[in-house]
Amino acid sequence: MAEAITKRRPPRHHGLSAKTLRQLERATGRLATASVAAMEARLPWFGRLTADQRASVLLITQAGAAGFVAWLRDSKEALKLTTEAFRDAPAELSRWISLRQAVGLVRLAIEVFEEELPEFAVNEAERAALIEGILRYGREIAFAAANSYAAAAEARGAWDARLEALVVDGIVRGDAEESVLSRAAALGWDPSLKATVLVGTPPSDDPPAVVFEVRSRAARVSRSVLLSVQGSRLVVVVGGPTDGTQKDREALGKLSLAFADGPVVAGPTVPSLAEAHHSAAEALSGLRAIVGWPAAPRPARSSELLPERALSGDAEAERRLIEEIAKPLEDAGPTLLTTVETYLESGGVLETCARELFVHPNTVRYRLKKASELTGRNPAEPRDALVLRIALTVGRLARARGIW
């Protein structure tokens, strides 16, 4: 007889009677509505949501209330039930509500439940059990929401990384400007920023570690960057000017510390990302040719590597050597050109050059100064002398081929 009575006795969960659980089930809609009303009254930003978004919050809150009752019935499945009840909520919420705002909604809903739940308890023991239950359930909800937001952030981060790699790859390959610009805009790149491409060797085989290193150094110099690891090379697009103030000039040097030991080459600074493929082409050409200049600075500008680039077959470097050096010297007249050629052939000895030309050394000095003003290269400097010599040689070869 006692066993039969025990079997017929309603089960009790968390110290709650079956009657209380049934009352809670019937009141889930009212509790959810009261929670949303409190959100509208206490949260200023909630009123700015659209009607559809507020309706979504109401449905999510109703699911949470129903999940609370189910959780009370079977606490062993608490985490599973909580996750299932809010499986779709964070994915939808994260589109228009931040994690901080979502946690605020959960906190406010828990407060409303705490205020409303005691009326369903038949005694003090059940009242205490309900309060304890909603606090524990709220904790599970908060953790579930945080995990979902974190997963969404990781997914967005992975997508952003793939999109960023596509942008940098498009710049390197010289893809259509519109496709590159639209993708860069999706990443938050300011289209009015100047752009400079840096290339070198990545400091690690671990891409996340490379990204962290580059971005942390870019943050220190307050620069926007786009980057991609392409096999054995690291390509970084740096936003902003790289000349002018000392701070601007030092930016590339500090960013080059994010690369592995070895050469780093910077292309020219272009007006916007739309022209960044020109900077990338010159930077990559410089990286291939920099082996010819062991004492090159780090980073080296692609314009400083014109002789090595020309010797490696870069037609653009040959064109610039002709237009910037050989042609201005020739246009200045045979006297100036002959003086520069004789000075270079004499090993940079002023007196020897003067004797060869039958002029006073001061005359040679004057002509060399004029040549330096025209070309930006001082024949008395060893590196500039090499550039002048290669430029004049390239010019002669181009003329012999009928190109110039």
Side-chain angles (χ1 to χ4, degrees):
M1 185 66 177
E3 293 178 0
I5 294 174
T6 302
K7 290 180 181 179
R8 291 196 301 270
R9 182 178 298 164
R12 298 173 65 88
H13 305 275
H14 290 274
L16 302 174
S17 64
K19 178 181 178 181
T20 298
L21 293 174
R22 285 195 299 271
Q23 289 178 340
L24 283 174
E25 284 180 331
R26 290 193 292 267
T28 53
R30 178 167 67 86
L31 290 171
T33 302
S35 298
V36 173
M39 295 171 189
E40 292 179 344
R42 303 184 197 178
L43 301 175
W45 59 266
F46 189 83
R48 293 192 291 270
L49 298 179
T50 65
D52 291 341
Q53 291 170 345
R54 289 196 298 272
S56 296
V57 173
L58 176 59
L59 292 175
I60 293 168
T61 308
Q62 288 175 340
F68 175 55
V69 178
W71 183 83
L72 289 174
R73 290 187 180 279
D74 190 353
S75 61
K76 292 182 180 180
E77 298 293 326
L79 183 57
K80 178 182 177 181
L81 291 171
T82 301
T83 304
E84 289 179 354
F86 281 78
R87 179 183 299 166
D88 298 327
E92 182 178 354
L93 282 173
S94 63
R95 299 189 185 100
W96 31 270
I97 294 179
S98 68
L99 175 58
R100 179 176 297 179
Q101 291 172 330
V103 172
L105 293 180
V106 173
R107 180 184 293 112
L108 189 52
I110 298 302
E111 291 177 1
V112 173
F113 274 52
E114 284 187 74
E115 295 171 0
E116 300 288 339
L117 286 178
E119 69 178 72
F120 299 101
V122 297
N123 54 46
E124 287 296 328
E126 285 199 357
R127 184 177 292 107
L130 282 174
I131 296 301
E132 179 185 357
I134 191 58
L135 292 177
R136 292 176 57 192
Y137 182 70
R139 181 187 62 187
E140 300 291 350
I141 290 294
F143 279 124
N147 287 334
S148 297
Y149 269 81
E154 289 178 357
R156 285 194 298 270
W159 170 249
D160 286 350
R162 290 192 294 270
L163 188 60
E164 185 175 8
L166 287 174
V167 171
V168 176
D169 183 60
I171 290 172
V172 170
R173 293 190 290 113
D175 284 350
E177 293 177 3
E178 290 304 321
S179 63
V180 170
L181 292 178
S182 62
R183 289 169 177 167
L187 293 169
W189 182 272
D190 183 354
S192 65
L193 279 179
K194 294 181 178 181
T196 307
V197 175
L198 269 177
V199 294
T201 306
S204 168
D205 294 331
D206 182 20
V210 175
V211 172
F212 174 79
E213 180 68 16
V214 174
R215 294 205 184 282
S216 61
R217 293 194 178 276
R220 295 175 194 173
V221 293
S222 303
R223 293 303 178 97
S224 299
V225 293
L226 298 170
L227 68 142
S228 176
V229 178
Q230 300 179 338
S232 60
R233 71 187 182 195
L234 170 62
V235 181
V236 179
V237 183
V238 184
T242 58
D243 49 15
T245 66
Q246 182 177 358
K247 182 178 180 181
D248 291 339
R249 293 194 299 270
E250 292 176 350
L252 291 183
K254 293 179 179 179
L255 283 172
S256 67
L257 298 176
F259 291 78
D261 293 339
V264 178
V265 179
T269 300
V270 293
S272 69
L273 196 67
E275 294 85 26
H277 57 281
H278 297 300
S279 181
E282 292 208 21
L284 292 171
S285 173
L287 188 64
R288 290 190 294 268
I290 198 171
V291 65
W293 186 13
R298 190 175 188 269
R301 283 286 193 173
S302 59
S303 59
E304 298 172 328
L305 292 160
L306 290 177
E308 290 77 15
R309 290 168 54 193
L311 291 174
S312 66
D314 186 343
E316 174 63 18
E318 292 182 12
R319 183 191 64 79
R320 289 188 58 185
L321 286 172
I322 293 172
E323 290 187 357
E324 297 175 10
I325 297 176
K327 193 173 186 302
L329 287 176
E330 181 167 315
D331 291 344
T335 301
L336 189 62
L337 179 60
T338 302
T339 300
V340 172
E341 290 176 335
T342 305
Y343 180 78
L344 295 174
E345 291 298 327
S346 66
V349 181
L350 192 69
E351 289 76 11
T352 303
C353 177
R355 286 196 300 270
E356 291 288 334
L357 297 174
F358 300 102
V359 297
H360 194 277
N362 287 341
T363 302
V364 175
R365 289 192 182 93
Y366 172 78
R367 293 175 182 176
L368 293 180
K369 181 180 179 182
K370 184 67 174 178
S372 178
E373 292 173 353
L374 285 174
T375 64
R377 303 287 181 173
N378 183 3
E381 295 291 336
R383 176 65 188 178
D384 286 350
L386 172 65
V387 175
L388 287 166
R389 184 184 292 274
I390 297 296
L392 294 174
T393 302
V394 168
R396 296 188 198 102
L397 294 173
R399 185 177 294 281
R401 296 195 302 267
I403 299 176
W404 175 36

